[in-house]
Amino acid sequence: MTDFNHKHEKVLSGLGFLQDAASRSSQLTSGMVNILTSFEERLARLEKTILPVYHETKNLQQKQENIDKTLASLDHVIGYYSVSKEVEPVIKESPSSQGLDVFLHSLGRLQEAMHFFEKNNPQSVELENVMSLFETGKDNIISEFKEHLAKHSHIVPPITVLEALATDEEEINVNHFSADIKDNLMRIADWLITHNEDDFMNVYARFRANTVQKTLLGLRDHLRSSSVGAVSHQGVSPIAPMSGTSTLLAKSGVKSSYDTPSRKTSKKLQQMLERKANQMLLKASQTLESSTGLALGSRRSAADIIKEDAVEEQEIESFFTEFTALLRLLQSELRLMLGIIPLPHQKAVLSIILRDALEMICHDAESLSARARRSVARLEFGPVLLLFPALRHLVCLKGDCDKLLEGCDSSVRTRFYAMVNNLHTTCGKALEDFAESVRSESAAPLPRDGTVYEMTSNVVLFLGQLTDLSDTVGPLLAQDQSYSNALVHTQPWPKPQRNRALLGLYIKKVLVQLNLTLVTKSDAYSDSSLRYIFRLNNSHYLLGALQRSGLLDLLKVVEPECESIYREMINEQKRLYSQSWNKVLAPIWNSEDVPASVLLSGRLREKDKALIKEKFSTLNKEFEELSREQRGYSVPDVELRESLKRDNKEYILPKYQAFYDKYSNAQFSKHSEKYIKYSPAQISSVIDTFFDVAA
């Protein structure tokens, strides 16, 4: 019980403590609530007091901002009204006076003002003033562009052009514009493009076209004056077709000797130009005459031809050089216009730059073609030979031209290809006309002495100039189906060998026609011996000339046995010529003869004596007639001449020796010396005088 009471009291004591704590907590809570309520009431009162002030302050700040913006806008607008006055001194001067940066900035301000007035006050006087001043500025900046082009578009000196061609550079590196000028042109062009002003590209094209054309004209004048100087110094100026500048003229290039008294060219240029002479008509004629001892009859000398055709040859050389120079100049122009002319418009601008200069080149080519065609019509084929290197030059550069002209105006491309086709047609027709002229040749008279026919030498001269032109002549001949068909039936031909084969076919065709013409012509000789001497001279000369000129190698491509065919012809003609001795040998071969027993007995009958006298008389007469005739024959080739004499001796002397030994000691006449005029040694001596009109 006691424990229970004790625990009860302890519980009551704890309960009392809790009640006291709860009472204190309630009091504290009530106090906190009162405090918070009072704070809330104070905040509410503060809000009622401060919030109107806040709103008023915010409104004042917004108004201040609006006032500031309005003032700034007013300043900006007022600035537009004063732009004209502020920039007018700059705009009315040239851009170079104040500097391009200042000028372009002033134009920018004018443009902004113009846009403002167009939008806000399109009827204002200020808009008219700004627009007028902007147009003035635009005109001035275009004038500045023109002035830069006019002042810095320099004509390239001829020597610079030639040296650039000699070093095989792909373009002629001439700094037309300094870095500052190029930068100014680029910035002006950029400004004009931005403002849709593209006429500056036509301006640029006209200035550059004029510069390119004047450069070519200066080069042409230099070439002509140099050629005149060479003629006056050397007497003649044999100008050969160009065969290459380093790589360009491995394609077909530009080399010449352009030294003038007032200007010394570089050593490299001098060496380049010295390699131009001594290749065509002069070289061929000299080779012919030195190898055969043959003068070309009524044919004009090489020097006469060179003098007569000097202008044409100079034009050919000028054409080579000018065309190559134009190509290199245009490549330089493409580089020069980078940054100035937008890429999509560059080929259109290049077309304008190119047009006049190309027309000048095309006119030259057409003039050369026309002259060559007129020469061919007169059966003079020398001038047309000069066109083959010109055509090769164009064809070899065609790849570069195609790349350059890609994207250019179609009329420019058409003009270039028409020029190439014109030369192509002229050269192709000349080849066939030459072959036809050989077949139908009738003008030149036969040589009285049976020497080499003029046409034969002309054929060799003509064909000899084609030996290094198979890459040009081959495609010309390939257009004739008959040549292509002839190759189809032989073997597959790689392209370089195919061109040689086509040229070989042409050479074969011409030589076949020549041989037929020579045979037909020779039938006009009443003297059969002279007929065979004529054929022999021409066949022997042809074989030697074909070997020396390299034509035989080309001919062997399609006719491997051609050399043996010619040798067989020569041997057959020698055999036929040897028949000229038949009349001389007839008395020896006569079946009616004095018996050997009668000759040994020494008792000749009158009939026998008369027979021997007749034999010697006939032999003497025929031999003297034959000697007289054959001294008048001409065999210009020394080797052939001596060979014929040797063959004659080998053919006649053994027979005559036997005849002489048989009858020379016979007592057939008291005056035997009257009949026995020639000993075998004397016959041999007389044969040595054959083919020598002076003997």
Side-chain angles (χ1 to χ4, degrees):
M1 190 64 177
T2 303
D3 289 336
F4 176 77
N5 290 334
H6 177 71
K7 289 181 180 178
H8 183 263
E9 288 177 359
K10 190 175 181 178
V11 170
L12 290 176
S13 174
L15 181 61
F17 178 77
L18 289 174
Q19 289 176 340
D20 290 339
S23 176
R24 288 195 301 272
S25 176
S26 177
Q27 291 175 358
L28 290 172
T29 300
S30 177
M32 181 59 70
V33 169
N34 291 334
I35 292 171
L36 291 174
T37 301
S38 175
F39 183 71
E40 184 178 3
E41 290 174 351
R42 290 180 181 181
L43 283 177
R45 290 195 299 270
L46 182 62
E47 184 178 1
K48 290 179 181 179
T49 304
I50 297 301
L51 192 59
V53 175
Y54 170 76
H55 286 306
E56 184 65 24
T57 301
K58 184 178 180 181
N59 290 336
L60 289 174
Q61 288 176 343
Q62 185 67 44
K63 289 177 181 180
Q64 180 63 42
E65 290 177 3
N66 290 340
I67 290 171
D68 291 340
K69 289 180 180 180
T70 300
L71 290 174
S73 296
L74 286 173
D75 290 339
H76 187 65
V77 169
I78 291 170
Y80 287 135
Y81 283 87
S82 62
V83 164
S84 297
K85 184 176 181 180
E86 291 175 0
V87 303
E88 184 175 8
V90 175
I91 296 300
K92 289 193 173 181
E93 295 289 336
S94 68
S96 57
S97 299
Q98 302 292 330
L100 185 60
D101 288 335
V102 175
F103 194 88
L104 292 177
H105 178 70
S106 298
L107 281 175
R109 292 183 62 190
L110 284 173
Q111 187 174 24
E112 290 179 8
M114 190 165 59
H115 290 163
F116 171 80
F117 290 123
E118 286 174 345
K119 181 178 180 181
N120 298 288
N121 194 2
Q123 305 300 324
S124 65
V125 175
E126 285 78 7
L127 176 59
E128 295 181 5
N129 292 338
V130 169
M131 290 179 66
S132 174
L133 199 56
F134 184 81
E135 290 299 320
T136 299
K138 185 171 66 176
D139 291 342
N140 283 346
I141 202 167
I142 292 174
S143 296
E144 181 77 2
F145 188 80
K146 292 179 180 178
E147 184 177 341
H148 279 326
L149 289 174
K151 186 175 181 180
H152 299 283
S153 291
H154 302 299
I155 297 173
V156 183
I159 296 300
T160 302
V161 174
L162 292 171
E163 289 180 338
L165 296 179
T167 57
D168 195 32
E169 297 176 1
E170 290 189 358
E171 57 185 57
I172 299 174
N173 291 315
V174 178
N175 292 324
H176 296 280
F177 308 138
S178 65
D180 291 342
I181 297 300
K182 180 72 178 284
D183 182 65
N184 284 349
L185 288 172
M186 291 169 62
R187 292 169 64 193
I188 292 173
D190 183 64
W191 187 92
L192 291 170
I193 292 168
T194 303
H195 293 83
N196 299 319
E197 295 291 337
D198 56 6
D199 189 58
F200 80 94
M201 289 186 277
N202 291 325
V203 171
Y204 179 91
R206 288 194 295 271
F207 271 100
R208 297 307 307 163
N210 184 58
T211 300
V212 169
Q213 188 172 19
K214 286 185 176 179
T215 296
L216 288 181
L217 288 172
L219 177 62
R220 172 179 293 184
D221 291 341
H222 177 78
L223 294 175
R224 288 179 177 175
S225 63
S226 298
S227 297
V228 170
V231 170
S232 64
H233 179 67
Q234 299 176 1
V236 294
S237 175
I239 301 173
M242 291 176 283
S243 57
T245 72
S246 316
T247 309
L248 164 65
L249 294 186
K251 297 178 177 177
S252 160
V254 197
K255 300 196 183 274
S256 176
S257 52
Y258 305 120
D259 276 343
T260 63
S262 59
R263 177 174 288 174
K264 214 179 236 186
T265 59
S266 68
K267 183 176 181 182
K268 181 185 292 184
L269 178 61
Q270 201 168 12
Q271 292 172 346
M272 171 190 77
L273 301 176
E274 287 173 353
R275 296 166 59 186
K276 290 202 46 86
N278 309 322
Q279 288 185 7
M280 291 196 65
L281 295 173
L282 182 60
K283 177 181 176 181
S285 299
Q286 289 173 341
T287 301
L288 171 64
E289 295 181 2
S290 64
S291 63
T292 64
L294 169 67
L296 298 184
S298 61
R299 185 179 179 278
R300 294 169 297 169
S301 69
D304 289 339
I305 293 175
I306 289 170
K307 287 181 180 179
E308 181 175 319
D309 294 339
V311 173
E312 293 181 8
E313 291 176 352
Q314 291 165 13
E315 287 175 351
I316 287 287
E317 174 152 347
S318 180
F319 174 79
F320 285 154
T321 311
E322 289 172 36
F323 182 80
T324 309
L326 175 60
L327 184 62
R328 299 297 175 247
L329 285 169
L330 292 175
Q331 289 166 337
S332 295
E333 289 298 323
L334 277 177
R335 179 179 57 84
L336 189 64
M337 68 175 69
L338 291 175
I340 301 174
I341 305 299
L343 185 61
H345 300 283
Q346 287 183 2
K347 286 305 179 76
V349 170
L350 188 68
S351 298
I352 300 174
I353 296 174
L354 165 63
R355 185 172 286 113
D356 290 343
L358 179 62
E359 183 61 34
M360 183 175 74
I361 298 291
C362 289
H363 181 271
D364 289 346
E366 288 167 355
S367 174
L368 291 168
S369 292
R371 294 182 186 185
R373 287 193 297 270
R374 290 195 295 269
S375 297
V376 169
R378 298 191 302 270
L379 300 182
E380 295 178 3
F381 293 89
V384 79
L385 286 171
L386 298 173
L387 291 190
F388 284 95
L391 179 60
R392 178 174 63 179
H393 187 70
L394 290 178
V395 171
C396 289
L397 293 180
K398 186 176 180 295
D400 291 340
C401 293
D402 289 343
K403 182 178 178 181
L404 189 69
L405 296 176
E406 183 180 359
C408 287
D409 186 79
S410 60
S411 63
V412 172
R413 297 198 306 273
T414 300
R415 192 74 178 96
F416 168 72
Y417 295 126
M419 173 183 68
V420 177
N421 290 336
N422 185 23
L423 288 173
H424 199 279
T425 302
T426 300
C427 291
K429 188 175 185 302
L431 290 174
E432 290 310 307
D433 286 350
F434 180 77
E436 177 61 24
S437 73
V438 173
R439 186 184 68 82
S440 58
E441 205 284 333
S442 60
L446 284 172
R448 293 181 179 180
D449 56 4
T451 190
V452 176
Y453 194 33
E454 178 182 354
M455 182 179 66
T456 304
S457 62
N458 289 342
V459 167
V460 172
L461 286 172
F462 184 87
L463 295 179
Q465 305 311 312
L466 304 180
T467 53
D468 295 328
L469 295 170
S470 61
D471 57 338
T472 303
V473 176
L476 292 176
L477 298 172
Q479 293 185 339
D480 187 333
Q481 196 62 37
S482 63
Y483 289 98
S484 298
N485 291 341
L487 289 185
V488 168
H489 300 299
T490 53
Q491 62 180 13
W493 298 92
K495 187 173 182 179
Q497 192 70 358
R498 175 181 172 83
N499 287 333
R500 286 175 57 82
L502 287 165
L503 180 54
L505 284 174
Y506 177 76
I507 294 170
K508 178 181 176 181
K509 175 181 178 179
V510 172
L511 292 177
V512 167
Q513 292 179 344
L514 174 62
N515 287 332
L516 290 174
T517 300
L518 291 173
V519 170
T520 303
K521 279 282 190 179
S522 66
D523 288 338
Y525 285 114
S526 58
D527 182 351
S528 61
S529 300
L530 185 57
R531 181 185 310 141
Y532 298 125
I533 284 290
F534 173 78
R535 294 179 184 177
L536 185 57
N537 273 329
N538 283 276
S539 297
H540 188 273
Y541 166 74
L542 273 174
L543 179 58
L546 292 174
Q547 291 170 329
R548 289 190 299 273
S549 63
L551 289 169
L552 191 64
D553 293 334
L554 286 168
L555 189 55
K556 284 181 176 179
V557 174
V558 294
E559 189 63 63
E561 303 300 322
C562 59
E563 185 172 0
S564 62
I565 291 172
Y566 267 102
R567 295 196 182 279
E568 288 174 5
M569 288 173 55
I570 291 171
N571 290 333
E572 176 62 14
Q573 288 153 1
K574 283 184 175 181
R575 186 189 69 78
L576 293 171
Y577 159 73
S578 69
Q579 294 177 0
S580 63
W581 288 97
N582 288 351
K583 289 183 179 181
V584 177
L585 294 175
I588 299 175
W589 289 340
N590 194 329
S591 60
E592 186 178 0
D593 206 350
V594 178
S597 59
V598 174
L599 290 172
L600 289 173
S601 67
R603 294 190 296 271
L604 296 176
R605 297 167 297 177
E606 291 300 321
K607 177 183 176 181
D608 296 331
K609 293 179 180 179
L611 178 60
I612 296 173
K613 291 178 182 178
E614 178 64 23
K615 283 180 177 288
F616 274 106
S617 296
T618 303
L619 189 148
N620 292 337
K621 177 184 176 183
E622 294 297 337
F623 179 67
E624 288 168 358
E625 178 65 21
L626 180 70
S627 301
R628 182 185 62 79
E629 290 175 352
Q630 300 216 9
R631 274 196 294 269
Y633 296 170
S634 174
V635 181
D637 185 82
V638 175
E639 181 181 348
L640 177 61
R641 185 165 63 241
E642 295 306 315
S643 170
L644 286 175
K645 291 178 182 179
R646 185 171 58 253
D647 291 346
N648 284 337
K649 291 178 182 179
E650 291 174 355
Y651 183 67
I652 189 67
L653 287 179
K655 299 175 179 64
Y656 183 74
Q657 183 73 53
F659 176 79
Y660 182 84
D661 291 344
K662 183 176 182 180
Y663 293 111
S664 61
N665 294 320
Q667 301 299 317
F668 63 90
S669 173
K670 294 180 180 180
H671 305 286
S672 59
E673 70 279 359
K674 177 181 176 182
Y675 299 96
I676 307 176
K677 290 185 177 181
Y678 302 100
S679 66
Q682 289 173 318
I683 292 288
S684 177
S685 298
V686 172
I687 290 175
D688 286 334
T689 67
F690 283 13
F691 319 122
D692 185 357
V693 72

